[in-house]
Amino acid sequence: MKEKWKSKSGRNPKLDPAVYRYTVRFNEEEHNRFLAMFGKSGVYARSVFLKAHFFGQPFKVLKVDKTLVDYYTKLSDFHAQFRAVGTNYNQVVKELRLHFSEKKAMALLYKLEQHTVELVKLSRRIVELSREMEAKWSQKSV
C-alpha cells in the first residue's frame, strides 16, 4: 500500500491567509490623486497602501529634497576626486625621489607642498559647508 506523501519544499502556509478581495474603481481625477498619495507614502504595494489608509494605520510620507540629493552626489564625486589626487600625490613623490637629484626634487616638492596647503584649505572649507548644510537640513526637518 502506497501512501501519498507531501513534499516539504516550498513556502510555509500562512496562518491567516488573505482570501477576500474587493474591487474599487476610480475616475481619472481620483486615480491621479491616489497615485500622488501612493507615491508620497513610499509603500511598496498599492494594496498595502490602501489597507493601511482604509483602516487608519499610520504610514510614512517621504519627501525627497532635490537640493540635498544633488549636494550629496556632488560631495561624493568630489570625495572620489580627492582620493584620486591623494593617490597621484603619492606616485609623484615616489617618482621625484627616484628620478631627480636631491636639490631638484626638493624644489619640486616645495611647489607640491604649496599646492597641498591650498588643497587642505579647500577641504576645510568643504567640511564647513557640509556642516552648514547639515544645520540647515536639521532646522528644516524640525
Side-chain angles (χ1 to χ4, degrees):
M1 305 224 176
K2 290 185 179 180
E3 292 183 23
K4 281 190 172 180
W5 57 277
K6 266 195 164 179
S7 173
K8 298 262 180 178
S9 65
R11 185 166 59 171
N12 290 333
K14 293 182 178 180
L15 296 176
D16 187 20
V19 293
Y20 302 103
R21 178 181 294 190
Y22 295 93
T23 303
V24 177
R25 297 192 185 274
F26 294 130
N27 63 22
E28 189 69 29
E29 180 186 336
E30 293 169 337
H31 180 68
N32 290 335
R33 276 185 58 202
F34 168 73
L35 289 179
M37 290 172 61
F38 173 68
K40 288 180 183 177
S41 73
V43 178
Y44 64 93
R46 292 181 192 137
S47 59
V48 173
F49 171 74
L50 281 173
K51 282 173 66 174
H53 195 68
F54 183 75
F55 290 116
Q57 297 170 350
F59 54 90
K60 293 187 266 184
V61 175
L62 303 175
K63 292 185 180 179
V64 177
D65 187 0
K66 183 73 172 152
T67 58
L68 187 63
V69 172
D70 290 342
Y71 179 76
Y72 178 75
T73 303
K74 289 178 183 177
L75 189 61
S76 297
D77 292 342
F78 183 77
H79 180 68
Q81 291 176 0
F82 198 78
R83 287 179 52 131
V85 167
T87 302
N88 292 343
Y89 184 87
N90 290 338
Q91 291 173 353
V92 166
V93 170
K94 186 177 178 182
E95 291 298 318
L96 283 175
R97 189 177 57 82
L98 291 175
H99 297 292
F100 291 98
S101 66
E102 187 173 334
K103 187 175 180 181
K104 182 73 172 171
M106 290 302 285
L108 292 172
L109 281 174
Y110 177 75
K111 288 182 182 178
L112 186 61
E113 183 180 4
Q114 296 304 316
H115 291 295
T116 305
V117 169
E118 290 177 24
L119 194 59
V120 168
K121 288 179 185 176
L122 181 63
S123 66
R124 286 186 180 150
R125 180 68 181 136
I126 291 167
V127 170
E128 290 174 19
L129 289 172
S130 295
R131 287 187 179 141
E132 289 174 15
M133 183 71 158
E134 185 178 332
K136 285 180 184 178
W137 178 252
S138 63
Q139 289 174 356
K140 224 185 224 185
S141 62
V142 172

